Amino acid sequence: MNHNMALFQNNFFIFGLFFFCITTLVCSNTASRHYTPPTVAPLTDLFTPLSVDQGFSAFFGGPNIKIINNGSMASIALDKSSGSGLISRNDFHYGFFSAAIKLPAGISSGVVLAFYLSNADKYPHNHDEIDIELLGHDKRNNWVLQTNIYANGGVSTGREEKFYFWFDPTAQHHYYSIIWNTHHVVFLVDSIPVREFPNRGAFSSVYPSKPMSVYVTIWDGSDWATHGGKYPINYKYAPFVASLAEMEMSGCMSNETVLPNSISCSKASHSSSSRSDPVYGQEFISLSKQQITALDWARSKHMFYSYCKDTSRFKVMPSECK
């Protein structure tokens, strides 16, 4: 009896130790995503935010769009009846584009919140697009940041990369930003560059070159968004509501009406020495040493997918990956 009791206690201890180790490992992996990011200059401080009404109009799902705080903030929602979204009142040929976004809390598998530039309305067969897509999660996984860029209408030429966040994007607003000019496209989160796509001419066929509108939308991406469509939206958790604030759009505008912090494309100089262009200073044409350090940090610790490593999709790697 004493021998059996000792054996039981020993087995119980081993099982407990095993359970503790597994739990600690899982918790450690989850907690490891919450790093303290490097310090970078906050590019969003360089521009004055626009009121939502000043910069945007309803794109679709009007009843699910709410303008609040005298136009300084908005919410867009997805429910069983419809998603919703905003579109910029102006087109841009290049610039700096940013929004402070607070994502829906709770289970959000299949939900897609997109902050992006596109000209699909004007070039349906050869459009350009620069995407920040925030993909919802199931019970076991966090929200995912997906970036993408392509030109001339070919979705097959998309250049996707995916990242985990180093914070909870549902707890408060965080800045999601895009730099687009003749030098490069840069994707930033809280001014941390997570991806730079330089325009070296070697892959100009996939470099956006035509004026685009700015969009922010929330919609049902059940067929692909969460683990390749494995976890569709469960509308018992609806509505899925995202909060938007501090919308910034600055650069070269192709429209006659010019917003604050922007200039007419007809007056813009594509020279890096131009003082009239609000997004052609040195901080926009190349990454600083501080930003390069932050970029390396984001990619080494948080990126978990890159098209450059997807040999099942690309039998021959795109030229920029070599």
Side-chain angles (χ1 to χ4, degrees), residues 180-259:
W180 169 45
N181 55 36
T182 58
H183 299 275
H184 56 188
V185 172
V186 184
F187 299 88
L188 308 100
V189 179
D190 289 340
S191 291
I192 299 286
V194 298
R195 179 180 185 182
E196 181 188 25
F197 194 85
N199 182 19
R200 298 195 181 104
F203 41 94
S204 57
S205 62
V206 294
Y207 195 85
S209 59
K210 299 182 289 291
M212 293 190 276
S213 299
V214 183
Y215 298 82
V216 56
T217 59
I218 187 169
W219 45 282
D220 187 335
S222 291
D223 58 339
W224 67 274
T226 306
H227 298 282
K230 184 177 180 180
Y231 300 102
I233 284 182
N234 186 338
Y235 279 103
K236 78 176 185 180
Y237 299 109
F240 305 97
V241 181
S243 176
L244 314 175
E246 298 190 51
M247 313 293 285
E248 296 182 353
M249 297 184 292
S250 306
C252 165
M253 297 175 56
S254 59
N255 310 62
E256 291 184 5
T257 302
V258 178
L259 294 171

Side-chain angles (χ1 to χ4, degrees), residues 156 169 187 194 218 245 287 306-307 320:
S156 62
F187 299 88
V194 298
I218 187 169
L287 298 181
S306 174
Y307 71 99
E320 71 272 15

Side-chain angles (χ1 to χ4, degrees), residues 60-303:
F60 70 100
N64 281 346
I65 301 171
K66 307 296 182 187
I67 308 299
I68 54 180
N69 286 2
N70 296 320
S72 64
M73 299 180 68
S75 67
I76 55 175
L78 165 66
D79 58 26
K80 200 166 186 177
S81 65
S82 176
S84 56
L86 302 170
I87 180 174
S88 62
R89 297 182 182 273
N90 303 81
D91 296 333
F92 295 82
H93 192 257
Y94 55 82
F96 177 78
F97 312 95
S98 185
I101 300 172
K102 181 181 178 183
L103 294 174
I107 296 173
S108 53
S109 57
V111 176
V112 178
L113 189 294
F115 178 64
Y116 66 105
L117 290 83
S118 177
N119 49 32
D121 56 335
K122 294 181 174 61
Y123 303 94
H125 303 296
N126 63 333
H127 81 285
D128 304 322
E129 193 160 310
I130 301 173
D131 298 330
I132 289 177
E133 295 171 315
L134 309 172
L135 312 182
H137 67 94
D138 58 22
K139 294 179 181 179
R140 295 163 299 191
N141 293 279
N142 297 326
W143 280 83
V144 165
L145 166 69
Q146 175 170 285
T147 65
N148 197 4
I149 181 171
Y150 58 89
N152 298 315
V155 177
S156 62
T157 66
R159 303 300 199 248
E160 299 90 349
E161 291 188 339
K162 295 182 181 182
F163 303 79
Y164 290 118
F165 289 104
W166 52 93
F167 52 80
D168 178 0
T170 71
Q172 62 187 40
H173 291 81
H174 289 269
Y175 295 100
Y176 302 87
S177 309
I178 295 169
I179 296 171
W180 169 45
N181 55 36
T182 58
H183 299 275
H184 56 188
V185 172
V186 184
F187 299 88
L188 308 100
V189 179
D190 289 340
S191 291
I192 299 286
V194 298
R195 179 180 185 182
E196 181 188 25
F197 194 85
N199 182 19
R200 298 195 181 104
F203 41 94
S204 57
S205 62
V206 294
Y207 195 85
S209 59
K210 299 182 289 291
M212 293 190 276
S213 299
V214 183
Y215 298 82
V216 56
T217 59
I218 187 169
W219 45 282
D220 187 335
S222 291
D223 58 339
W224 67 274
T226 306
H227 298 282
K230 184 177 180 180
Y231 300 102
I233 284 182
N234 186 338
Y235 279 103
K236 78 176 185 180
Y237 299 109
F240 305 97
V241 181
S243 176
L244 314 175
E246 298 190 51
M247 313 293 285
E248 296 182 353
M249 297 184 292
S250 306
C252 165
M253 297 175 56
S254 59
N255 310 62
E256 291 184 5
T257 302
V258 178
L259 294 171
N261 301 320
S262 295
I263 60 174
S264 168
C265 284
S266 62
K267 297 180 180 179
S269 168
H270 285 241
S271 167
S272 61
S273 62
S274 173
R275 294 183 179 274
S276 62
D277 189 336
V279 290
Y280 256 80
Q282 187 62 39
E283 63 269 40
F284 295 102
I285 67 174
S286 63
L287 298 181
S288 67
K289 290 183 179 180
Q290 187 185 55
Q291 289 174 319
I292 291 172
T293 298
L295 176 70
D296 292 342
W297 171 85
R299 297 180 70 78
S300 64
K301 293 191 179 296
H302 302 285
M303 185 174 72

